[in-house]
Amino acid sequence: FGEGNKDSEDAALRFVTSQALWNQIKSETEQIQEDLNKQLFDNLVSFLRRSHSEFQEKTTEWTCRMKSREIPTAALVLGVNVTDHDLTFRSLSEVLQNDITPYIALLEAKDCPGIKNLMQKLMGQLMNCCIDVDSLEDEDYVQVSQNRIRCSMTSLINWYESVTKKTDSETPRKKRTSCSKHWQSPPVVVIFKDMESFTTKVLQDFIVISSQHIRELPLVLIFGIATSPMIIHSLLPHSVSSLLCIELFQSLSCKEHLSTIIDKLLLTAQVPFKLGDKVLQVLINIFLYHDFSVQNFIKGYQFCIVEHFCSQPLSVLCCQLVDAKKRVNSLSHDQCENIRRLPSFRRYVESQVSEKQIALLTADDFLKEITQKLLEDLHVYHENYVSVLRCLHVFTSSLPKYPLGKQIRELHCACLENRVWETEEYESSLQLARMLNKSDLVTMVQQCVEIFVSSSGKEFDKTVEKLKEFLTQFQKLEEAFQEQDVSVSSQKELQKKTDLYHLQKTLLELKESRRSKKLTKFEMLRFEVVDYIDSLVRNYLVPADHKTLHEIVYFNTASVLREHLNAAPRTALHTALNNPYCYLKNQDLKNDGGSISNKAPDICIVYKLHLECGRLINLVDWLEAFSTVVTAVEGPNGDAASSDQVDDIIHARFIRAVSELELLGFIKPSKQKTDHVARLTWGG
Amino acid sequence: GIKVRKNKTQLTVDVKRFVKKLENISDDEAQEVLEEKNYVAALGICAQDPMGNGSSVSGGEVYSFQTPKRSSKMAELASELAQTPGQSVAPDPSKCPEKTAKTPQSSSNFLWAEIAWKCNLILLFDWQRAVLRGYMFHLLMHVFSLLLQSRKKEIVFTTPYRLRKRLAAPDPYLESESEYSASCSEEEDEEDQKEVSTVLSGRKTPAKTKAASTPPPRNTVAKKIKEDKMSNLVEEYFEAHSSSKVLTSDRTLQKLQKRRLNQQTLHDLLEKAPLAYAAEIKELNQQHESLFSKWMLQLHLGFNIVLYGLGSKRDLLEKFRTSVLQDSVHLVVNGYFPSITVRSILNSITEEVLEHIGTFRSPLDQLEFIIKRFKEDASLELYVLIHNLDSQMLRGERSQQILAQLSSLPTIYLIASIDHINAPLMWDQAKLSLYNWLWYETTTFSPYVEETSYENSLLVQQSGSLALSSLTHVLRSLTPNARGIFRLLAQYQLENKDNPSYPGLSFQDFYQQCREAFLVNSDLTLRAQLTEFRDHKLIRTKRGADGVEYLLIPVDDITLTDFLEKEDEDV
């Protein structure tokens, strides 16, 4: 398999780079997902252990035996992003397999139209996994296939007993490895991936049957729920749901998941590949307005990577800085020309002095040297950018009404789009920041200090110092204020003995003066802080497309992305039918908008005519109208003749166009009236 | 614009003389019309404004035919189109600046209304006094020359029938009347007079109503556009579905003196007809073909590709197959084929790709087997090309589920095409993520030759030929008695063809008749015979409300008549 790029220029290398990058990102996202789900899984595991220990006790205690009709159940509320659940369940079953029990069955509604299929599937999975664990020999295999024929709860129990016994007898080998974690009789976990789509009958039957056997079979159910926990009660009648002992678990919302992913993938200098503002906007919009699926977001991200590396020959330099520098040295002459053609590089060249300009445009070596420097600049810019962005986010995220957005991604988009300090929102948020109270301000500054300290940028030492200085000033201010406060109170004490009117007056004055005095001091400092942040923003949050060579690492063609990920097939059809000129660049088809000419392809004419009809369309009228239009086009030569030949051709063309419309789903044959078709759309 | 106005007033004076006698009738009607017009005008504002703004509303260009008047008939449009060779119907707005200033809602609308009105007038002349043709012609020409360079005067002039269709005035109030008169070729003059007069009385006021309904200032309109458009859409829906009665003309294809075309002649005829814009279509195709290598790359990276857009994508996929997939294992699925099933797709994978002999209990088992095999053997690669993934047979939930699961395998590369406007509705989020689509718009404008060539995908024009041949074939293999039985049923059905609520022949009656004709001796033999018919899909049984079994031949009457005639010839 060779790289499918048209120009062979470094194509293989580019492909390798993109694959490496993608793999890195993939593993990173999986890691993130794992971390996020950790809490949830821990809870689940402890729940399973608990339920399991209960089962152990149940065998002895009579009271529990009474209760033992109840199946311990975990209801896992996962949210509407169904597509992400698969991954969650997979890692969940992995975790359980490691920690709790080898007996796990994952059931999906689409496999289980009836209770029989469900049992079949369940047993198949359980016995297979048991084979996996114990690596059974042939005789057991026969046993398994025998069991398959008669899938019932009893056979399941028999199997379970035999299996547990076997592990007991075979303990010496097993226990050392895995059974130290697995208990004497591990529970059987049945996971219903999508509880909502199961038929209620199947679920009820299964629950009732298994509750009968709960004494022999330590069963634990896990329901995956996309909507709300209420669904259990609406799906199952009370008599059934009372057999369940339900505990609720809530997974992390997908939005938080996304923000962590963005945080880790986009807002870091580690990943060399960057998304442009529009692209990011499109991806986030698809996420927020279409599916809430993190999976899809990552898919879109992958697509961006592929597209970028495919379409940009210079993307070969889109890798870690060290590699990039090496690669710059081995660039071919064509690639150098490519660099010279970049608009951002042209701007850079124009800003240089003339001798340097000539050197840049003629000498490849010099160009490479400069490119290395520029790439390094770009890298440094990214490092600084992230830190300052976070810092700004600390300030803006707590402002009332969130003029620059609540999430850091919104801020990120705003900064990428244009000079953020020129926007109204930024202006208003600065104004709001100037009204912050002291404690908030201090904590924010502290947070900023932490961000800068932890950041990898080298230029921030001074910044940190400056911010720390602010902090100490605040400290001082506080002390001063306390002193003042004391003095004021003493003053008050002194003046207590004057008359009421005077007291009031002096108090008012005092209050006035105190406020103005104190505030001016604090205010000055506050102004200073805000101004300093502002200067940081102006320094470091320059939009990326003002940077030279940004084309190498930024993917910015949002239209491609939207076209391929969030397509609108119906709109495309309508456009083609209404305005064929969009596709067929023929002058005859050009129009001023609004209507089409009569020279359009047949299907467009037929479509146009059908738009004027109500729910039913008379085929004869339609045909007549069509032939009117078409003969008009053919015009003078065929006017009087109207021979059979021509007519038949028109007829045939009409038939073809109508059946094409039928294929496209605009009409369907109707039995309501002879020779009529029904329209399936309405309006224009 | 001004000129048109002047013209109109002149004509009105003329007309008044002979409308006078009808005026007392039309006066109170006019009042109603006025109100109605107000309403329509208001609607018009809603509908036209998004169009006027054009660029602000993305849908404006696409759904450009947002005329609020449902009555602007197909025929009218046809004649309009016919008269405007290569020209847009919409007149230059600059021609009537003062009007556009006042009423931003599409001046073209208004002008066309005027033209239609003038045609009415002319017709009135025609019917009432037979005015000199030349004069009429002159008028007509005058009217049209204002708006367009009419080349096709003959058409307009020599065929008053068509003109009458134009008379279907763009006024909802008149919809029903004019519609009917338009389609029934001859009617009494009196009715026409009345109708035209109502048109007149309705038209006397447009200037007034338009002025009265000048839209609110621009900015508020702009704000409302969205919801207006929305509500308009809703209204359109209810307009289309409000009454169960739909007014269309009663003409049928049978009355048209034209023989029905069968598949072969249709094909031959289309061969003869030159493909329009061949050069442009070729260019389009070349654009798409340049994407082939990209598709390959993306397929290998775990995406699947779906093609959409107007025009058959079959040739494109074929080309993809021949140019890129020559050396790899691939499977082509013709989804449009009427008897394709998921099962057959799976079968061809297991049997021909995996070379597995044996059967499976259910498609799910089969799928599992395939998945297992592909997971075990990473070197196994398969390209699946599906033409029309959205065809009748494949669009079912279960089929799509199975296909989606197939396509989610990392070494199965799926590239498919869809055509139906509602095709994306097949997939829910879960399936979409399994498919992992990348969408490619490949509008080709090439005709759907193969896709529509299957008999049952076509309209009434040629349906039946296949049914007929299958009928004769099956029956020829039967005993004479059996043929007689079927004949009886067919005849009975034809006798009742005018009865729309004909439920079919009840089994008891049928048995009685067969006995009388000495065709069967017991109801068991008849039942056995019927089972055979049913197996060949020659008849259909239906249980009525009273529990009686009714027998029906699911073939349309014409085919049945043809069949009986043919049978008679044979005998």
Side-chain angles (χ1 to χ4, degrees):
Chain A
F1 168 70
E3 168 77 352
N5 288 319
K6 45 260 139 204
D7 53 331
S8 59
E9 194 69 53
D10 294 328
L13 186 59
R14 242 154 64 204
F15 179 68
V16 170
T17 320
S18 75
Q19 283 309 92
L21 182 63
W22 166 236
N23 286 334
Q24 179 200 344
I25 283 163
K26 204 173 158 194
S27 60
E28 206 149 312
T29 53
E30 272 160 17
Q31 188 58 44
I32 290 169
Q33 172 131 28
E34 215 166 277
D35 294 348
L36 287 179
N37 282 331
K38 203 164 182 320
Q39 175 74 32
L40 175 72
F41 289 167
D42 285 349
N43 287 343
L44 261 177
V45 165
S46 68
F47 163 75
L48 288 174
R49 279 187 204 286
R50 213 164 51 241
S51 66
H52 178 64
S53 63
E54 267 168 33
F55 172 77
Q56 302 278 34
E57 284 159 30
K58 264 175 224 160
T59 50
T60 54
E61 279 178 45
W62 184 82
T63 42
C64 284
R65 199 167 273 188
M66 282 299 285
K67 250 182 75 188
S68 68
R69 281 288 175 82
E70 286 188 357
I71 312 170
T73 307
L76 200 55
V77 182
L78 291 164
V80 289
N81 48 336
V82 192
T83 45
D84 297 341
H85 296 176
D86 222 30
L87 222 74
T88 316
F89 279 120
R90 220 178 303 147
S91 45
L92 173 66
S93 67
E94 233 165 69
V95 167
L96 293 184
Q97 200 121 35
N98 291 336
D99 286 359
I100 300 283
T101 168
Y103 312 122
I104 297 167
L106 274 166
L107 296 178
E108 270 179 276
K110 60 174 187 281
D111 300 328
C112 310
I115 183 80
K116 207 180 122 210
N117 307 61
L118 188 143
M119 287 306 292
Q120 205 174 322
K121 199 93 195 162
L122 176 66
M123 298 196 56
Q125 284 196 17
L126 284 178
M127 288 165 190
N128 268 340
C129 78
C130 134
I131 287 167
D132 280 352
V133 166
D134 293 341
S135 59
L136 294 180
E137 285 81 50
D138 289 11
E139 36 140 14
D140 292 301
Y141 215 75
V142 175
Q143 190 195 335
V144 167
S145 53
Q146 270 174 350
N147 274 345
R148 250 202 176 165
I149 299 159
R150 273 185 65 254
C151 286
S152 71
M153 215 61 195
T154 29
S155 55
L156 189 67
I157 290 163
N158 287 338
W159 162 81
Y160 182 73
E161 276 172 3
S162 70
V163 160
T164 42
K165 234 177 258 163
K166 201 177 288 158
T167 36
D168 282 347
S169 58
E170 288 175 6
T171 33
R173 194 194 58 185
K174 272 281 93 135
K175 267 223 164 127
R176 251 174 286 128
T177 56
S178 64
C179 279
S180 53
K181 277 186 254 167
H182 295 165
W183 293 28
Q184 205 68 7
S185 47
V188 174
V189 178
V190 180
I191 302 176
F192 293 86
K193 275 191 181 175
D194 38 359
M195 194 221 182
E196 282 97 337
S197 26
F198 276 93
T199 15
T200 48
K201 185 88 177 46
V202 173
L203 267 183
Q204 289 174 24
D205 285 354
F206 179 74
I207 291 169
V208 170
I209 292 172
S210 48
S211 80
Q212 299 288 328
H213 297 277
I214 189 71
R215 253 167 286 177
E216 294 103 54
L217 189 74
L219 198 69
V220 181
L221 304 182
I222 296 180
F223 290 146
I225 295 172
T227 47
S228 83
M230 287 307 290
I231 197 77
I232 298 176
H233 298 289
S234 58
L235 274 180
L236 306 171
H238 182 70
S239 61
V240 177
S241 62
S242 63
L243 293 173
L244 301 172
C245 174
I246 301 173
E247 197 159 320
L248 203 66
F249 296 93
Q250 184 90 38
S251 80
L252 206 64
S253 89
C254 47
K255 271 190 246 164
E256 283 167 52
H257 190 173
L258 181 77
S259 357
T260 10
I261 292 233
I262 288 181
D263 215 42
K264 292 265 164 66
L265 284 187
L266 303 183
L267 300 178
T268 163
Q270 303 303 320
V271 182
F273 174 73
K274 304 278 175 197
L275 293 178
D277 65 302
K278 293 224 179 63
V279 173
L280 186 59
Q281 206 62 262
V282 167
L283 281 180
I284 288 175
N285 281 349
I286 291 176
F287 176 83
L288 288 179
Y289 300 120
H290 289 266
D291 48 18
F292 281 122
S293 163
V294 179
Q295 216 57 35
N296 272 359
F297 183 85
I298 295 168
K299 169 194 163 186
Y301 192 68
Q302 183 195 4
F303 177 73
C304 292
I305 295 177
V306 172
E307 195 63 24
H308 179 68
F309 280 89
C310 218
S311 55
Q312 174 64 264
L314 284 172
S315 59
V316 70
L317 299 179
C318 178
C319 54
Q320 299 302 334
L321 188 62
V322 191
D323 296 333
K325 277 183 178 172
K326 272 184 219 148
R327 285 183 193 178
V328 167
N329 282 329
S330 55
L331 280 185
S332 67
H333 177 69
D334 283 348
Q335 285 285 51
C336 292
E337 283 301 306
N338 278 333
I339 291 180
R340 286 183 189 123
R341 250 176 256 132
L342 290 180
S344 69
F345 188 74
R346 280 163 169 256
R347 249 176 299 162
Y348 171 76
V349 170
E350 275 155 28
S351 65
Q352 302 301 316
V353 286
S354 57
E355 307 95 72
K356 214 175 166 193
Q357 274 185 12
I358 292 163
L360 276 174
L361 292 179
T362 50
D364 279 357
D365 288 336
F366 185 63
L367 177 81
K368 280 174 189 171
E369 205 176 294
I370 292 291
T371 310
Q372 280 179 351
K373 218 174 77 199
L374 287 173
L375 278 177
E376 202 174 321
D377 282 353
L378 201 62
H379 186 74
V380 169
Y381 157 75
H382 282 140
E383 275 176 350
N384 299 339
Y385 176 87
V386 173
S387 308
V388 176
L389 186 73
R390 283 182 206 280
C391 175
L392 181 61
H393 180 237
V394 165
F395 273 87
T396 56
S397 63
S398 57
L399 295 176
K401 283 198 200 156
Y402 310 106
L404 277 171
K406 211 178 192 172
Q407 308 278 349
I408 195 162
R409 57 165 187 260
E410 295 165 74
L411 192 63
H412 180 53
C413 283
C415 292
L416 281 178
E417 205 177 334
N418 41 34
R419 291 196 179 93
V420 72
W421 57 90
E422 284 170 2
T423 59
E424 262 175 57
E425 289 85 11
Y426 182 76
E427 207 56 49
S428 64
S429 54
L430 271 196
Q431 240 147 38
L432 286 171
R434 283 185 189 122
M435 282 182 269
L436 283 170
N437 67 20
K438 205 178 80 185
S439 60
D440 283 353
L441 199 61
V442 170
T443 46
M444 281 175 192
V445 174
Q446 270 161 353
Q447 277 174 348
C448 290
V449 170
E450 276 164 35
I451 289 170
F452 285 126
V453 167
S454 64
S455 87
S456 48
K458 287 136 202 140
E459 302 174 14
F460 287 127
D461 297 343
K462 246 193 273 165
T463 320
V464 171
E465 249 167 54
K466 180 88 181 164
L467 284 174
K468 277 191 177 150
E469 196 186 306
F470 279 133
L471 277 178
T472 48
Q473 277 182 11
F474 275 121
Q475 203 79 38
K476 269 186 208 153
L477 204 67
E478 203 159 352
E479 280 158 17
F481 171 59
Q482 269 165 2
E483 276 169 23
Q484 200 178 33
D485 217 25
V486 173
S487 67
V488 165
S489 56
S490 62
Q491 265 184 347
K492 245 188 215 165
E493 221 88 59
L494 280 176
Q495 287 177 350
K496 219 166 193 178
K497 276 167 187 121
T498 53
D499 64 296
L500 211 62
Y501 174 74
H502 271 281
L503 177 69
Q504 200 178 7
K505 207 175 169 187
T506 43
L507 276 179
L508 273 176
E509 268 170 16
L510 228 138
K511 211 172 161 192
E512 203 90 313
S513 66
R514 194 180 70 184
R515 179 174 287 163
S516 58
K517 219 163 87 189
K518 189 211 84 178
L519 281 186
T520 38
K521 218 172 182 187
F522 169 63
E523 219 169 36
M524 259 158 57
L525 196 55
R526 189 164 58 179
F527 272 137
E528 240 173 272
V529 172
V530 173
D531 284 342
Y532 184 70
I533 297 292
D534 186 37
S535 72
L536 279 181
V537 167
R538 278 167 204 267
N539 257 337
Y540 295 109
L541 292 190
V542 185
D545 45 8
H546 291 253
K547 285 282 167 190
T548 315
L549 294 185
H550 69 91
E551 288 94 340
I552 291 176
V553 292
Y554 276 87
F555 177 68
N556 224 342
T557 37
S559 59
V560 177
L561 191 70
R562 195 175 294 136
E563 194 180 306
H564 294 317
L565 289 183
N566 196 11
R570 197 164 169 165
T571 316
L573 267 183
H574 278 287
T575 318
L577 287 170
N578 272 318
N579 196 2
Y581 181 71
C582 282
Y583 297 96
L584 304 173
K585 303 287 179 203
N586 189 311
Q587 279 308 308
D588 286 352
L589 293 174
K590 199 163 179 179
N591 63 1
D592 314 336
S595 73
I596 57 160
S597 76
N598 48 4
K599 280 185 183 160
D602 293 347
I603 186 166
C604 300
I605 296 172
V606 169
Y607 169 77
K608 214 65 188 181
L609 293 172
H610 115 286
L611 281 185
E612 299 299 316
C613 286
R615 229 175 349 133
L616 287 179
I617 307 171
N618 186 324
L619 278 173
V620 184
D621 289 348
W622 203 0
L623 171 61
E624 199 138 299
F626 177 73
S627 65
T628 313
V629 177
V630 174
T631 43
V633 176
E634 265 137 39
N637 50 355
D639 51 358
S642 69
S643 59
D644 246 15
Q645 182 68 27
V646 173
D647 244 5
D648 271 351
I649 287 182
I650 289 175
H651 191 183
R653 278 166 61 185
F654 174 71
I655 290 170
R656 177 173 65 187
V658 168
S659 40
E660 280 172 359
L661 276 194
E662 192 190 340
L663 182 82
L664 295 177
F666 284 103
I667 52 166
K668 67 168 187 200
S670 164
K671 290 237 168 75
Q672 274 186 33
K673 222 167 161 185
T674 42
D675 292 334
H676 276 67
V677 288
R679 228 187 118 180
L680 297 177
T681 55
W682 75 91
Chain B
I2 307 164
K3 251 186 178 175
V4 178
R5 276 271 181 83
K6 238 186 252 163
N7 237 332
K8 192 181 80 187
T9 44
Q10 269 175 16
L11 281 168
T12 330
V13 174
D14 263 355
V15 166
K16 272 219 171 127
R17 262 181 283 161
F18 52 80
V19 177
K20 219 167 245 169
K21 55 183 173 184
L22 291 164
E23 211 146 45
N24 46 353
I25 315 166
S26 55
D27 247 353
D28 46 350
E29 270 177 12
Q31 199 53 42
E32 271 178 66
V33 173
L34 183 69
E35 279 164 22
E36 200 120 331
K37 287 237 56 124
N38 257 328
Y39 174 67
V40 172
L43 254 186
I45 296 162
C46 307
Q48 295 294 339
D49 251 313
M51 249 177 70
N53 283 354
S55 56
S56 69
V57 184
S58 59
E61 269 172 61
V62 179
Y63 309 98
S64 58
F65 250 66
Q66 286 180 326
T67 37
K69 352 176 225 55
R70 299 297 320 137
S71 60
S72 45
K73 281 276 101 55
M74 192 160 68
E76 184 190 352
L77 182 78
S79 47
E80 275 172 22
L81 282 174
Q83 284 146 21
T84 56
Q87 260 289 330
S88 117
V89 181
D92 193 3
S94 61
K95 276 186 187 169
C96 37
E98 113 266 71
K99 203 176 289 168
T100 38
K102 231 192 242 170
T103 56
Q105 78 269 34
S106 168
S107 54
S108 79
N109 228 1
F110 188 56
L111 288 178
W112 270 111
E114 279 189 342
I115 291 170
W117 172 74
K118 252 160 236 146
C119 293
N120 293 341
L121 286 190
I122 291 154
L123 267 161
L124 202 62
F125 290 132
D126 196 21
W127 300 127
Q128 288 282 330
R129 309 167 144 187
V131 182
L132 281 176
R133 291 218 145 198
Y135 175 48
M136 187 171 138
F137 178 71
H138 173 75
L139 259 180
L140 244 186
M141 283 319 298
H142 189 66
V143 171
F144 282 120
S145 61
L146 281 172
L147 295 164
L148 28 92
Q149 310 89 315
S150 166
R151 212 175 55 180
K152 298 253 75 65
K153 11 189 162 170
E154 265 96 357
I155 282 186
V156 181
F157 185 66
T158 52
T159 52
Y161 175 65
R162 243 172 234 142
L163 261 181
R164 293 193 65 198
K165 275 200 279 187
R166 291 180 53 76
L167 182 149
D171 188 333
Y173 180 65
L174 293 168
E175 174 169 4
S176 52
E177 294 167 348
S178 48
E179 156 83 354
Y180 263 116
S181 67
S183 37
C184 307
S185 52
E186 275 306 316
E187 274 197 17
E188 286 161 279
D189 274 9
E190 263 187 26
E191 256 185 55
D192 270 349
Q193 285 170 23
K194 190 178 159 194
E195 183 190 306
V196 171
S197 71
T198 36
V199 174
L200 276 178
S201 52
R203 286 297 165 199
K204 272 184 218 159
T205 50
K208 219 191 293 171
T209 40
K210 289 267 163 158
S213 66
T214 33
R218 258 278 189 237
N219 51 352
T220 53
V221 172
K223 260 187 224 161
K224 279 183 188 163
I225 283 173
K226 258 238 151 95
E227 40 192 280
D228 277 349
K229 207 183 163 196
M230 198 60 198
S231 69
N232 200 41
L233 225 96
V234 173
E235 263 169 43
E236 270 180 2
Y237 176 81
F238 284 113
E239 218 176 316
H241 292 81
S242 55
S243 67
S244 56
K245 226 174 133 219
V246 186
L247 289 167
T248 49
S249 65
D250 293 325
R251 301 196 298 163
T252 59
L253 288 169
Q254 269 179 300
K255 284 183 195 160
L256 213 64
Q257 293 303 319
K258 201 164 277 177
R259 69 201 158 82
R260 276 159 192 278
L261 303 165
N262 63 26
Q263 192 64 43
Q264 192 53 45
T265 47
L266 179 74
H267 189 73
D268 293 344
L269 283 171
L270 287 178
E271 289 276 281
K272 272 182 231 162
L275 182 62
Y277 305 109
E280 284 85 359
I281 288 174
K282 204 172 159 206
E283 199 171 305
L284 267 180
N285 272 322
Q286 266 160 3
Q287 272 175 31
H288 301 320
E289 279 159 29
S290 64
L291 294 169
F292 282 173
S293 61
K294 207 169 185 180
W295 290 356
M296 278 303 276
L297 173 72
Q298 282 161 348
L299 284 174
H300 276 267
L301 290 176
F303 294 105
N304 291 307
I305 286 174
V306 61
L307 309 178
Y308 65 91
L310 182 67
S312 170
K313 290 160 279 291
R314 201 176 163 280
D315 293 339
L316 188 70
L317 280 179
E318 269 304 294
K319 196 143 195 190
F320 176 69
R321 186 179 73 83
T322 49
S323 62
V324 189
L325 299 183
Q326 265 318 322
D327 306 321
S328 35
V329 186
H330 57 259
L331 174 75
V332 180
V333 178
N334 292 324
Y336 50 82
F337 193 71
S339 63
I340 190 102
T341 57
V342 185
R343 189 130 209 188
S344 53
I345 298 174
L346 292 176
N347 275 340
S348 47
I349 294 178
T350 49
E351 281 162 23
E352 278 158 48
V353 180
L354 302 176
E355 286 163 356
H356 170 86
I357 303 152
T359 51
F360 295 89
R361 256 185 305 165
S362 71
L364 283 177
D365 285 347
Q366 203 165 357
L367 179 70
E368 225 162 89
F369 172 78
I370 294 171
I371 290 174
K372 215 172 116 212
R373 281 294 299 273
F374 272 93
K375 277 196 176 145
E376 276 168 13
D377 189 357
S379 65
L380 219 52
E381 288 192 339
L382 175 68
Y383 294 84
V384 183
L385 282 86
I386 303 184
H387 304 294
N388 286 74
L389 186 59
D390 55 346
S391 67
Q392 284 287 353
M393 295 303 295
L394 295 182
R395 67 174 66 144
E397 149 88 33
R398 277 165 57 80
S399 329
Q400 288 296 327
Q401 181 67 48
I402 288 172
L403 287 175
Q405 272 174 294
L406 258 191
S407 71
S408 67
L409 285 174
T411 46
I412 288 189
Y413 313 116
L414 175 67
I415 177 162
S417 67
I418 56 167
D419 285 304
H420 199 281
I421 40 170
N422 294 327
L425 298 182
M426 295 189 293
W427 303 313
D428 54 19
Q429 292 293 347
K431 289 200 196 72
L432 277 178
S433 79
L434 280 177
Y435 271 125
N436 206 7
W437 287 131
L438 281 187
W439 299 74
Y440 274 90
E441 185 183 339
T442 52
T443 302
T444 60
F445 270 102
S446 38
Y448 294 96
V449 180
E450 286 290 321
E451 288 91 329
T452 58
S453 68
Y454 290 96
E455 186 68 22
N456 49 4
S457 72
L458 275 179
L459 282 177
V460 272
Q461 279 91 344
Q462 335 79 34
S463 81
S465 74
L466 191 71
L468 186 62
S469 67
S470 70
L471 266 186
T472 45
H473 270 102
V474 170
L475 280 194
R476 213 163 279 162
S477 66
L478 293 177
T479 60
N481 265 8
R483 257 185 277 176
I485 292 171
F486 189 77
R487 232 182 121 78
L488 259 181
L489 189 59
Q491 272 164 349
Y492 189 81
Q493 185 161 335
L494 281 182
E495 278 163 28
N496 285 290
K497 69 176 173 190
D498 296 328
N499 179 7
S501 59
Y502 167 67
L505 183 55
S506 74
F507 180 78
Q508 279 310 318
D509 292 347
F510 192 36
Y511 177 52
Q512 209 58 41
Q513 285 185 23
C514 290
R515 263 183 90 94
E516 280 162 15
F518 299 117
L519 290 169
V520 292
N521 52 10
S522 76
D523 66 340
L524 274 182
T525 35
L526 179 59
R527 280 211 185 271
Q529 200 55 253
L530 289 181
T531 315
E532 187 160 358
F533 287 157
R534 208 176 305 148
D535 290 346
H536 286 104
K537 298 208 166 64
L538 291 181
I539 60 164
R540 218 170 46 199
T541 50
K542 202 163 60 178
R543 227 167 251 290
D546 46 356
V548 184
E549 208 177 334
Y550 288 106
L551 307 167
L552 258 181
I553 304 177
V555 177
D556 58 275
D557 300 332
I558 302 132
T559 323
L560 213 54
T561 326
D562 287 349
F563 164 72
L564 284 182
E565 276 168 14
K566 230 175 187 173
E567 280 285 284
D568 286 338
E569 279 169 26
D570 289 352
V571 173

